[in-house]
Amino acid sequence: MNQHAPPAELPLPLTARHAVLEFKADLSFGERNRQAVEDLRAGLALWRLSCALAWLDIRLRYRGSMLGPFWLTLSTGIMVAMLGFLYAKLFKVDPRAYLPFLALSQVLWAFMGTLVAEACSTYIDMVGIIRSVRMPMSVFAARTVVRNILVLGHNVVVIVVVFAVFNTWPGWHAVLAIPGLLLWLIVSLSLTMLLGSLCARFRDIAPIVNSLMQIAFFITPVIWRPEQLGDYQFLLPFNPFYNLLEIVRAPLLGEHVAPSTWLIALGFSAALCVVSWMFFVRARGRLAFWV
Amino acid sequence: MNTEASIEIGGVSVSFPLYHGSARSLKKTVAMAATGRLGADTHRRTVVRALSDVGFTLSRGDRLGLVGSNGAGKTTLLRTLAGIYEPVVGHVRVQGSVTALLDTSLGMNVDMNGRENILLRGLFNGLPRSALPQLERDVAEFAELGDFLDLPVRMYSAGMVVRLGFALATALRPQILLMDEWFLAGDANFLEKAKFRLEEMVRGAEILVLSTHSMDIIRTWCTRVIWLDQGYIRADGPTEEVLAQYLAESGAD
């Protein structure tokens, strides 16, 4: 047997099974929509690739460092401890009640904030791959989401430690956070797909989004409790971040979530998904030109 | 159920909209106006036309060479065939699994070692996990990287990167192979090996589309040549015929 010959036994790659590639001019919305559905389907079928890419991102970021991704845990932990005592003093509240709240809020917000920031560069950063091989675009969006979930996983340690130190366990009530987390997953993916393509087309979006997120951090009850707003509490439901945060945070603090909060969170998510999908259907074929 | 590979494109034009950077910089505008390739599309955006009304058909066993000066649209055409650029004018129909060797880095991550890159490439191609060790063995053997396989690709010489990329791409046995010229830049010994492996592949009645400036490579490997000039097909026919015209005009070899 000749050693230079390529092996014949390798199975055909997945991409070869749908091996007809066809493009025409002036596609109707329905045809574009079909292509977008196909992109999403193929992207989700490659979920192992998205996970591997996300995991490699984390490993490469911390390659050669001793603690590795646990630097994230450490820095979040130190920040929560410092801010916890500082704000407890400033707000004149009991650190034992405040710290578990802050640890949870801070870690959850860090996920949202970083996801939004990184969503903006989802496709732009992948220019090398996008221009050298045909890939479902949704793979890259899934990679950004999975990477941030991995970071969240490392930060959860901080929450667990703080809850253990202050012995505040939400008990079985905490499972009510699961539907909220599932909604977060959907919102994360559609937000990443929307911001990723928007930022590839309009380079001004990323800085705008980043400054908006900074404002959102202060107007959303992350470091302060909703009750502290007093008479102005009625304004909170208008902030989509508040509703999304609350559906996950409240059950984990052993608190009750108002049905209206869930309704607003669902309504906002549905609207986001529709907008994101409409844009994706239009943008998908053009992304290679934009990045 | 393996369908026969074929490529059919007609009336394809690809334009790049200039959204970012200095689309309206005076220098660029003047430079592009001078070559006559600056236009504006229906939304009055500035666009650069890379391909204009390109059409041809390829079937099983064809080996097509693309020639033309820099910026003639060779790489854009390869990317269009690979499905990376979706044209808005004309139609493209590519049947069969496609591998495009367009970029020296091939989506390789230079911070990862050779082994990790091989596994990642396998995942990119949707190979099942069980096929990955075999892919690694095959690529490692062909690329002759030895202990370098465990070092980051950043440490590799340019030749090693090419060998790894070539081994990866050819390990997957595409039905259609699209190749840009950089790819043949390996050392002489490797070129011999690469030729053997590629010929093996083309002999398996697949399609090869190759873009190059080297007339020797075209003469050895291609049975048909398309001469692209500023995005248009200037000539299309048997290798020697088109090369004679091309060389007469460009005066280079």
Side-chain angles (χ1 to χ4, degrees):
Chain A
M1 191 191 130
N2 194 304
Q3 56 157 346
H4 298 329
E9 316 90 67
L10 273 177
L12 267 185
L14 272 184
T15 40
R17 286 182 211 154
H18 318 277
V20 181
L21 199 65
E22 194 155 20
F23 306 109
K24 285 179 300 186
D26 299 320
L27 289 179
S28 69
F29 181 82
E31 286 166 300
R32 284 173 199 267
N33 188 57
R34 196 184 46 73
Q35 289 181 346
V37 171
E38 177 56 28
D39 182 293
L40 192 64
R41 199 201 55 75
L44 294 180
L46 287 169
W47 63 273
R48 280 198 295 132
L49 172 65
S50 309
C51 294
L53 285 170
W55 182 240
L56 283 167
D57 284 341
I58 303 261
R59 269 192 30 209
L60 290 176
R61 215 180 270 178
Y62 293 96
R63 171 153 284 191
S65 88
M66 228 161 46
L67 284 182
F70 285 97
W71 274 113
L72 294 166
T73 316
L74 193 67
S75 59
T76 310
I78 291 174
M79 190 170 71
V80 165
M82 292 302 185
L83 289 185
F85 286 107
L86 176 68
Y87 287 127
K89 193 81 188 157
L90 289 178
F91 295 147
K92 299 183 176 57
V93 290
D94 181 6
R96 272 172 296 185
Y98 180 64
L99 258 163
F101 167 83
L102 181 75
L104 188 58
S105 307
Q106 183 62 45
V107 167
L108 292 178
W109 182 266
F111 172 80
M112 278 191 191
T114 323
L115 181 83
V116 167
E118 292 185 356
C120 292
S121 55
T122 294
Y123 299 124
I124 298 173
D125 286 352
M126 292 293 107
V127 57
I129 296 179
I130 289 177
R131 291 240 176 105
S132 60
V133 56
R134 182 176 169 81
M135 268 280 119
M137 292 298 165
S138 44
V139 164
F140 305 118
R143 169 201 205 162
T144 302
V145 173
V146 173
R147 183 174 62 223
N148 280 286
I149 291 174
L150 290 173
V151 171
L152 177 65
H154 283 92
N155 282 335
V156 162
V157 176
V158 174
I159 304 178
V160 174
V161 168
V162 171
F163 277 28
V165 167
F166 295 96
N167 198 22
T168 47
W169 298 104
W172 282 109
H173 198 68
V175 296
L176 293 177
I178 291 173
L181 286 170
L182 288 178
L183 187 65
W184 274 36
L185 194 63
I186 296 166
V187 169
S188 301
L189 191 64
S190 61
L191 195 63
T192 306
M193 286 170 86
L194 177 64
L195 286 176
S197 4
L198 266 180
C199 294
R201 171 66 184 82
F202 305 101
R203 299 297 162 110
D204 298 309
I205 302 273
I208 295 173
V209 165
N210 282 330
S211 44
L212 285 180
M213 280 310 281
Q214 234 159 31
I215 299 168
F217 170 72
F218 289 108
I219 63 168
T220 307
V222 178
I223 51 174
W224 43 276
R225 279 185 174 273
E227 305 86 77
Q228 287 172 295
L229 214 52
D231 291 345
Y232 291 95
Q233 265 193 71
F234 73 93
L235 285 172
L236 280 176
F238 293 103
N239 176 356
F241 289 112
Y242 163 76
N243 299 282
L244 282 171
L245 188 62
E246 205 56 19
I247 58 171
V248 172
R249 181 175 63 185
L252 291 177
L253 289 171
E255 289 164 11
H256 178 69
V257 186
S260 64
T261 306
W262 253 107
L263 275 179
I264 295 170
L266 281 173
F268 170 75
S269 309
L272 178 69
C273 286
V274 170
V275 171
S276 173
W277 185 256
M278 300 299 273
F279 195 72
F280 182 62
V281 167
R282 287 205 67 82
R284 193 196 49 80
R286 301 300 296 165
L287 276 171
F289 294 91
W290 290 347
V291 290
Chain B
M1 140 257 73
N2 225 354
T3 44
E4 200 164 291
S6 69
I7 294 178
E8 200 190 316
I9 80 172
V12 166
S13 298
V14 174
S15 304
F16 291 91
L18 289 182
Y19 298 116
H20 317 301
S22 44
R24 286 185 180 75
S25 110
L26 187 63
K27 202 171 108 193
K28 288 196 177 178
T29 311
V30 171
M32 278 189 278
T35 58
R37 294 214 291 155
L38 191 74
D41 69 3
T42 46
H43 301 288
R44 294 221 196 123
R45 290 176 302 209
T46 316
V47 295
V48 177
R49 194 158 252 225
L51 288 180
S52 303
D53 196 22
V54 171
F56 56 83
T57 312
L58 295 176
S59 51
R60 211 180 149 109
D62 280 343
R63 308 177 185 196
L64 174 68
L66 301 174
V67 295
S69 57
N70 285 324
K74 301 190 295 288
T75 307
T76 305
L77 179 54
L78 289 178
R79 285 199 172 122
T80 306
L81 295 179
I84 294 165
Y85 293 145
E86 298 182 5
V88 285
V89 182
H91 74 270
V92 175
R93 190 184 152 85
V94 177
Q95 191 169 292
S97 61
V98 180
T99 290
L101 309 179
L102 301 171
D103 198 314
T104 30
S105 63
L106 277 163
M108 265 188 222
N109 192 321
V110 292
D111 289 316
M112 298 191 307
N113 65 34
R115 224 175 277 283
E116 289 169 322
N117 269 299
I118 296 172
L119 295 180
L120 197 60
R121 180 76 175 189
L123 289 174
F124 259 119
N125 284 282
L127 286 186
R129 192 161 281 258
S130 54
L132 295 180
Q134 194 192 335
L135 176 69
E136 190 184 300
R137 261 198 314 280
D138 173 65
V139 170
E141 191 183 314
F142 183 82
E144 292 175 4
L145 289 168
D147 293 337
F148 272 87
L149 214 51
D150 290 308
L151 289 178
V153 171
R154 188 185 288 289
M155 319 280 285
Y156 290 16
S157 68
M160 286 178 178
V161 175
V162 169
R163 288 212 296 274
L164 179 59
F166 189 89
L168 276 172
T170 48
L172 294 172
R173 296 208 96 177
Q175 289 176 285
I176 298 169
L177 184 64
L178 310 170
M179 205 156 83
D180 218 343
E181 59 183 326
W182 65 267
F183 215 80
L184 302 158
D187 51 61
N189 178 35
F190 175 70
L191 210 57
E192 201 52 42
K193 243 175 104 175
K195 208 171 121 183
F196 186 88
R197 188 151 148 143
L198 200 62
E199 275 175 351
E200 186 85 350
M201 202 176 259
V202 178
R203 241 199 313 276
E206 313 292 339
I207 296 174
L208 170 74
V209 182
L210 169 72
S211 139
T212 183
H213 285 293
S214 159
M215 297 305 135
D216 288 340
I217 288 171
I218 294 260
R219 285 197 182 102
T220 336
W221 287 14
C222 299
T223 54
R224 177 178 170 188
V225 171
I226 285 181
W227 172 12
L228 283 174
D229 189 18
Q230 301 202 8
Y232 289 92
I233 294 187
R234 180 80 172 270
D236 176 1
T239 307
E240 283 310 324
E241 215 169 278
V242 177
L243 282 192
Q245 290 178 44
Y246 176 64
L247 293 176
E249 174 121 346
S250 63
D253 198 344

